[in-house]
Amino acid sequence: MQSKKERERLGREKLTNIIETCKTVEQRSLDPFLVDINDNINQIKEFFPEWTVPDDLCLDAETIHHLASVVKLQGEWVKHRSTSLYTDPFILEEKLKQMPTEEIVETFAQAWHPVIEFEQISLHSLTEAVRYWRNLLPISERWKEVPPTEVDVGFATREELVQQKILRDKAFSEELESFWQTLKKNVNEKGENGKIHYWNFVGAETYEETVQRAFMTSFLVTYGYATLEIHPLEEEIFVKPNEEPDVKVSKKQLVSVPIAVSAEDWLKWKKGAR
Amino acid sequence: MSKRKAIYASKLKRATHLLFYKRHKKPGVKGWELRKALGSDYTKVLKIMDDYLKALDLQVKTVFEDEKNIEKPSLEQLDKARFYVTLRGELTPKEAKMVGWRIDDLAGLATTISYIISKKGKATRKEVEDLLRDKLPGWKVSLNIDRYIRYGYLTQDESEQLYLDWRTRAEVDQSKLVDLLLKTETQNT
């Protein structure tokens, strides 16, 4: 008598084999009738009572899905065979090999009706082209070599570099710290239970500023300054500032939470906020 | 000439320009483009044009989006269809040589198309290459398939499966080709 574990292992193997066979038929355009649907269904039925964990149930569902695809292919196969276009590929291949080239062309010419297409210049397009040509500058003028301009070498001030966005006004860590303080302040003023609705915190007067705030918030969460509280059923996200930066968070395996901050979402929030 | 006749004569000219001259990368005109240029009665204009073309052994060919021949198409189906002017009758093999194809390239095309039809509209490139290699020199086989793809007779997906493309649908009477090939087989055996 097989143990339960042994039967489960055997069952998984059988289901995986069925999936592989179905995939081969689907991908390589093999005859779908090579798969015995009834036999496979019986096997799936036989092992179904053994499955208790979600992974096994998923495997069971996947097997059914692949068998359904094969049944669909069988349907298409029957449909194709019943049409006038059906001819056995093997017979056709043999016949084409035996036919001389001239005969193939002769046969094809009877079923070939080439598309007629003209390519001809009109007086109108010719006039347009002449006008364009007249206005076109000579190539020596269009592709003039631009002499390198002399640039005075000098020193740029820190302010100038900040203005040109080469340097930042504050170090990133300083900026993050000050944004953390802003979050805490916002929670105290507008939040509830020590947290604030994501959009109420991130949302700003302009879309650019909103994106910037969303960007900074993502770093607050990654570096342990804040946590995200997600309520999937209500589709609500809250930002909760930590009292102290949680250093352990960044060492744990992180989970990415994509949050779309589209212009439409921002407009919707802005209308709602007003 | 009555006013109505004059309107149709002008629409006929416009339709001729649209259908004969290539406006996009592909020849032919979409139904909605014709409706925009000729008005909602464009199918009537095309019917008149088709009658004119009969004497020249040409025809207006409609290729529907889902590739099937529809007896009574809806306005939406016509809008999405593509219209071409094609040869109505048949080319003699001698004439076929005159349209810019070498005889073995044309035979290769015929072989490829009929083989793909027999394989329910798709076949792997390798299968087709093996079939063509029987009569074409090895170095030419892949080049020819690329050429058939470039002309729009075939299309290929990322897993190197070949399918029939827009030009085959517009130019080749697929069921007739299969019928003729089957008849040839009967004659040979």
Side-chain angles (χ1 to χ4, degrees):
Chain A
M1 182 99 180
Q2 282 175 322
S3 68
K4 186 169 165 44
K5 274 197 173 177
E6 185 76 7
R7 261 191 77 71
E8 279 177 7
R9 192 188 55 78
L10 187 74
R12 273 181 219 121
E13 245 174 52
K14 289 233 166 167
L15 295 193
T16 316
N17 282 343
I18 296 173
I19 292 174
E20 285 309 314
T21 317
C22 293
K23 274 186 182 170
T24 316
V25 169
E26 286 168 46
Q27 286 162 4
R28 295 197 198 158
S29 317
L30 297 178
D31 181 356
F33 286 96
L34 287 172
V35 181
D36 185 341
I37 301 290
N38 280 341
D39 183 48
N40 285 320
I41 291 283
N42 285 338
Q43 286 191 34
I44 295 170
K45 263 189 197 168
E46 188 191 328
F47 289 103
F48 184 69
E50 312 287 335
W51 310 136
T52 46
V53 291
D55 277 355
D56 290 334
L57 289 165
C58 284
L59 186 70
D60 181 85
E62 198 188 337
T63 320
I64 296 281
H65 171 75
H66 281 284
L67 277 178
S69 305
V70 173
V71 172
K72 192 181 165 214
L73 287 174
Q74 290 183 344
E76 282 169 9
W77 191 88
V78 172
K79 215 166 142 190
H80 178 71
R81 284 227 155 183
S82 61
T83 64
S84 56
L85 284 177
Y86 173 71
T87 175
D88 192 319
F90 178 73
I91 297 173
L92 190 89
E93 198 179 324
E94 284 306 303
K95 192 176 52 55
L96 286 166
K97 280 181 181 171
Q98 283 164 18
M99 277 170 85
T101 308
E102 290 77 15
E103 205 178 339
I104 298 176
V105 171
E106 217 168 282
T107 311
F108 183 60
Q110 290 176 62
W112 187 35
H113 309 277
V115 166
I116 313 294
E117 42 187 304
F118 285 171
E119 279 183 27
Q120 185 195 323
I121 203 147
S122 68
L123 199 59
H124 174 74
S125 52
L126 208 58
T127 326
E128 282 290 305
V130 169
R131 192 177 301 140
Y132 166 78
W133 188 254
R134 270 194 209 132
N135 295 332
L136 193 66
L137 289 172
I139 208 156
S140 56
E141 280 182 48
R142 276 185 290 145
W143 291 1
K144 257 185 200 165
E145 269 189 38
V146 183
T149 47
E150 272 186 37
V151 179
D152 290 332
V153 180
F155 292 99
T157 61
R158 190 176 188 280
E159 286 69 35
E160 278 170 340
L161 291 175
V162 169
Q163 214 173 10
Q164 287 171 24
K165 305 220 164 148
I166 294 170
L167 283 183
R168 296 177 79 95
D169 200 10
K170 290 183 202 168
F172 188 69
S173 56
E174 276 175 50
E175 219 171 300
L176 207 59
E177 288 270 345
S178 100
F179 196 63
W180 181 38
Q181 297 308 330
T182 316
L183 171 64
K184 283 183 180 173
K185 205 177 141 199
N186 277 14
V187 168
N188 286 335
E189 286 169 6
K190 301 183 217 161
E192 257 178 49
N193 304 328
K195 61 191 179 189
I196 185 167
H197 198 280
Y198 179 81
W199 269 100
N200 288 346
F201 176 58
V202 162
E205 259 314 294
T206 63
Y207 178 59
E208 287 72 17
E209 204 186 325
T210 306
V211 173
Q212 169 72 13
R213 288 175 73 88
F215 172 76
M216 291 302 290
T217 308
S218 74
F219 278 97
L220 283 185
V221 175
T222 308
Y223 292 134
Y225 288 89
T227 42
L228 279 185
E229 207 176 285
I230 301 168
H231 299 180
L233 290 178
E234 292 86 3
E235 292 186 343
E236 282 181 333
I237 303 170
F238 293 91
V239 192
K240 200 173 175 181
N242 294 333
E243 279 309 311
E244 290 299 321
D246 189 356
V247 191
K248 280 179 206 160
V249 172
S250 53
K251 287 181 183 168
K252 276 186 213 167
Q253 196 180 358
L254 294 172
V255 178
S256 293
V257 182
I259 304 171
V261 183
S262 64
E264 289 80 40
D265 289 337
W266 171 71
L267 279 174
K268 217 163 112 187
W269 168 81
K270 219 177 164 194
K271 274 183 197 162
R274 276 175 184 170
Chain B
M1 194 191 276
S2 71
K3 196 183 167 192
R4 199 162 162 264
K5 264 193 175 176
I7 289 171
Y8 273 102
S10 142
K11 284 188 178 186
L12 197 57
K13 276 184 194 171
R14 181 97 185 93
T16 309
H17 295 171
L18 285 168
L19 283 165
F20 276 89
Y21 289 100
K22 213 160 87 170
R23 287 152 49 84
H24 310 290
K25 203 176 158 195
K26 289 180 196 171
V29 191
K30 282 259 187 183
W32 67 265
E33 285 178 280
L34 288 166
R35 186 166 44 77
K36 213 172 143 193
L38 306 171
S40 56
D41 58 347
Y42 72 93
T43 47
K44 208 172 169 185
V45 181
L46 294 181
K47 174 82 186 61
I48 300 170
M49 190 178 168
D50 191 54
D51 288 341
Y52 266 101
L53 291 175
K54 208 175 269 177
L56 303 171
D57 200 23
L58 299 176
Q59 64 178 347
V60 176
K61 172 96 191 255
T62 315
V63 179
F64 292 101
E65 208 181 33
D66 53 2
E67 300 171 38
K68 284 173 195 157
N69 277 328
I70 304 164
E71 285 211 4
K72 283 183 183 166
S74 66
L75 285 176
E76 201 189 341
Q77 284 167 324
L78 282 166
D79 269 4
K80 287 181 182 168
R82 213 173 174 86
F83 296 83
Y84 304 89
V85 173
T86 69
L87 188 76
R88 187 183 289 266
E90 297 158 16
L91 285 173
T92 63
K94 207 176 169 186
E95 285 171 329
K97 279 183 213 167
M98 282 158 56
V99 289
W101 287 80
R102 278 173 54 94
I103 188 164
D104 49 355
D105 295 341
L106 201 56
L109 176 67
T111 302
T112 308
I113 290 176
S114 47
Y115 184 71
I116 294 176
I117 295 172
S118 77
K119 296 282 279 182
K120 290 195 291 171
K122 82 172 177 185
T124 63
R125 184 172 173 126
K126 198 184 163 297
E127 280 173 67
V128 177
E129 281 182 350
D130 289 344
L131 181 63
L132 293 184
R133 208 166 281 126
D134 193 50
K135 291 196 181 164
L136 287 176
W139 62 270
K140 217 166 179 282
V141 169
S142 191
L143 286 178
N144 268 26
I145 293 179
D146 287 339
R147 188 178 171 202
Y148 305 149
I149 292 172
R150 211 168 48 245
Y151 283 13
Y153 285 103
L154 306 178
T155 181
Q156 181 180 290
D157 68 10
E158 65 283 355
S159 57
E160 300 223 310
Q161 293 271 1
L162 294 175
Y163 304 84
L164 301 177
D165 204 6
W166 67 269
R167 197 181 278 276
T168 305
R169 292 200 290 274
E171 295 185 351
V172 182
D173 186 338
Q174 295 178 35
S175 49
K176 192 174 177 187
L177 180 64
V178 171
D179 275 356
L180 288 169
L181 287 170
L182 289 174
K183 273 183 199 160
T184 321
E185 182 193 36
T186 332
Q187 281 160 13
N188 283 350
T189 49

